[in-house]
Structure formats: C-alpha cells, structure tokens
Amino acid sequence: MSERQFTGFSGETISFLMDLGMNNNRSWMDKNRDRYRVCLLEPFKALVSELAPFMERLDPFMEVRPQVGKTISRISRDARRNKGKPPYRTNMWFTFRVPGPDWKDSPGYFFELFPDRYRYGMGFYFPSRETMSKIHEEIAKNPSRFTEKTRILRESDFSVFGEKYKRRRKREGVSEELLEWFQYRDFYIAANREIDDILMTSALVDHLKIKFSSLSELYEYFWELKMKASED
C-alpha cells in the first residue's frame, strides 16, 4: 500500500494531462516521467489505498492493490492494438473488480480523470451476449424488481451510458422506460463532473465511498444476473 495520504489532486495534475495532450510523444514523456509520477500516479495510488478497505467490505474478492496493471490504468497505449493513435493516454482511471479470466464480463467500480472533467460509477467493461441476454430476460420477466433495483438512477446524478444498436430494438410487453435498456450492446453507470473543489481535496475519498456504496445493491444484482447467465 502507498504510504502517501490522499490530499486531493492538484492543478499540477490537470496541467500535466493538458501538457501531455499537446506533447504526446515519447521524447516529451521521457523528460516528464518524474512529473507524471508525482502529479498523477502517486495521487492515484494514495486514493486507491484509502478506498481499498472500504471496497473490500463491499466485495471481499475485489482486487484492491494500488498498482498499475492491478487497479490503476497504464498511461501508455498498447501499440499493437492502437496503431495510428498517440502513444500515451491523456486520461487515467482505476477499477475495483474481481480478477479472473472473465473480468470483462463482470461488474466493477471505476473512477476516471480527464484534463477537463472526471467521472465515477459501476458497470461492465465488455459484457458478453449471454450476460446482456440474461439482463434483458430479467427486465421482461421481473420488470418491477428491475425497476426497484435501478431506482438509484432516478434518485441521483447517475446515468446509463454505453454503445447502442444501430436499429432500435423492440420487445412486446416492455414499458417504454425499460425498453431503453434493450438498446444497449454494453453499458455502464456513471456520474460526470467538471473539475471542482471535491476533486482537489481529501473530501474525494468520502465522496466516492458514499457514491460507490449507493451502487452496491445494483452491483450485487448485476453479479446475480451474470452468474445466472454463466449457469445457463
């Protein structure tokens, strides 16, 4: 665990991401490697460390180690998969999820920082067709339960995002509100915020605890549906 206490991100954090966007090359990054570590990586490690005990209470099987490649994203892109793109990302994120071969098909929590905004939430990185089918089946068979489990989306600043099918899909007997879920090929739930005082202070720790906790019932529900999909 990181020994540094999280005191918030800083103006230098944002400046680094903005400067990287304007100088996205290896030569610049080599000269600014220490700046990356101090302004961006170390605060991320500290934030993950302070959240780790709380997240383990939400799910004891989660990966919570504050390391790049474990919970924290790499700043460099995979050149083999991102041909033609700049070598470095201008955003950084952490995820809390259960490790395993099918982690992309499992729900997890995340926080992501951009030069001009940040977001946090919960969802799937790349849900399988079986998992999405099970979610759609649950909506059709138990609409009242699904509505209750997703009430956080009507009572908070969280919204649903994701890639949609090109053609609108229909399902007999499903209300217009719930039918919207059938349009997603994949999805995640997030709250988007502009750069603000919360991001720049230690208050971000408690803020994320409250927000992640408010999604815990929905997280468990998605795990239930994911496991049913695996059994079928």
Side-chain angles (χ1 to χ4, degrees), residues 12 16 35 70 89 114 121 134 181 185 191 201 209:
E12 285 299 313
F16 172 81
R35 188 179 168 200
K70 298 297 183 182
R89 299 184 177 95
F114 298 86
K134 183 57 66 173
W181 286 88
R185 297 173 63 94
T201 69
K209 286 180 180 179

Side-chain angles (χ1 to χ4, degrees), residues 47-74:
L47 180 57
V48 170
S49 292
E50 292 206 35
L51 287 170
F54 174 80
M55 300 308 296
E56 284 186 307
R57 289 196 292 272
L58 293 183
D59 187 339
F61 298 104
M62 278 183 180
E63 172 63 78
V64 298
R65 286 175 288 180
Q67 299 173 16
V68 172
K70 298 297 183 182
T71 54
I72 301 173
S73 66
R74 292 178 171 83

Side-chain angles (χ1 to χ4, degrees), residues 105-167:
D105 188 33
S106 303
Y109 294 86
F110 69 88
F111 166 88
E112 187 169 13
L113 177 63
F114 298 86
D116 59 346
R117 67 189 190 283
Y118 66 103
R119 65 180 180 176
Y120 47 79
M122 182 272 296
F124 297 84
Y125 181 76
F126 190 68
S128 67
R129 182 177 298 179
E130 291 76 16
T131 295
M132 290 302 295
S133 293
K134 183 57 66 173
I135 292 173
H136 294 160
E137 179 184 321
E138 174 74 4
I139 295 171
K141 291 184 176 180
N142 301 293
S144 60
R145 184 174 186 234
F146 189 86
T147 299
E148 171 61 22
K149 292 293 185 180
T150 57
R151 69 184 184 282
I152 184 67
L153 300 176
R154 300 181 296 277
E155 300 172 354
S156 69
D157 55 352
F158 286 111
S159 300
V160 182
F161 300 89
E163 183 180 355
K164 292 186 176 182
Y165 290 100
K166 293 182 179 180
R167 294 184 177 180

Side-chain angles (χ1 to χ4, degrees), residues 14-212:
I14 305 304
S15 294
F16 172 81
L17 291 174
M18 294 177 68
D19 290 347
L20 176 58
M22 294 184 289
N23 303 275
N24 203 321
N25 59 76
R26 290 182 175 80
S27 177
W28 185 90
M29 183 55 122
D30 287 343
K31 296 176 183 177
N32 288 270
R33 185 68 61 176
D34 287 343
R35 188 179 168 200
Y36 154 72
R37 178 182 56 80
V38 172
C39 296
L40 188 62
L41 182 58
E42 289 305 319
F44 258 89
K45 286 184 175 180
L47 180 57
V48 170
S49 292
E50 292 206 35
L51 287 170
F54 174 80
M55 300 308 296
E56 284 186 307
R57 289 196 292 272
L58 293 183
D59 187 339
F61 298 104
M62 278 183 180
E63 172 63 78
V64 298
R65 286 175 288 180
Q67 299 173 16
V68 172
K70 298 297 183 182
T71 54
I72 301 173
S73 66
R74 292 178 171 83
I75 194 70
S76 58
R77 297 182 188 275
D78 187 337
R80 297 168 299 177
R81 300 179 181 179
N82 296 281
K83 293 181 179 180
K85 292 185 178 182
Y88 302 102
R89 299 184 177 95
T90 56
N91 59 312
M92 197 168 188
W93 65 87
F94 68 67
T95 58
F96 289 114
R97 61 176 69 252
V98 176
D102 64 341
W103 64 270
K104 292 182 180 181
D105 188 33
S106 303
Y109 294 86
F110 69 88
F111 166 88
E112 187 169 13
L113 177 63
F114 298 86
D116 59 346
R117 67 189 190 283
Y118 66 103
R119 65 180 180 176
Y120 47 79
M122 182 272 296
F124 297 84
Y125 181 76
F126 190 68
S128 67
R129 182 177 298 179
E130 291 76 16
T131 295
M132 290 302 295
S133 293
K134 183 57 66 173
I135 292 173
H136 294 160
E137 179 184 321
E138 174 74 4
I139 295 171
K141 291 184 176 180
N142 301 293
S144 60
R145 184 174 186 234
F146 189 86
T147 299
E148 171 61 22
K149 292 293 185 180
T150 57
R151 69 184 184 282
I152 184 67
L153 300 176
R154 300 181 296 277
E155 300 172 354
S156 69
D157 55 352
F158 286 111
S159 300
V160 182
F161 300 89
E163 183 180 355
K164 292 186 176 182
Y165 290 100
K166 293 182 179 180
R167 294 184 177 180
R168 186 167 180 79
R169 308 177 83 199
K170 299 180 180 180
R171 188 68 176 259
E172 291 296 329
V174 176
S175 68
E176 190 64 30
E177 179 183 359
L178 294 181
L179 186 62
E180 191 64 24
W181 286 88
F182 284 81
Q183 313 315 315
Y184 288 101
R185 297 173 63 94
D186 56 61
F187 72 92
Y188 61 93
I189 293 161
N192 292 285
R193 298 176 66 99
E194 296 181 353
I195 303 301
D196 57 16
D197 292 342
I198 292 177
L199 183 72
M200 302 299 188
T201 69
S202 60
L204 181 62
V205 175
D206 286 338
H207 181 79
L208 290 177
K209 286 180 180 179
I210 292 170
K211 295 298 184 177
F212 286 162

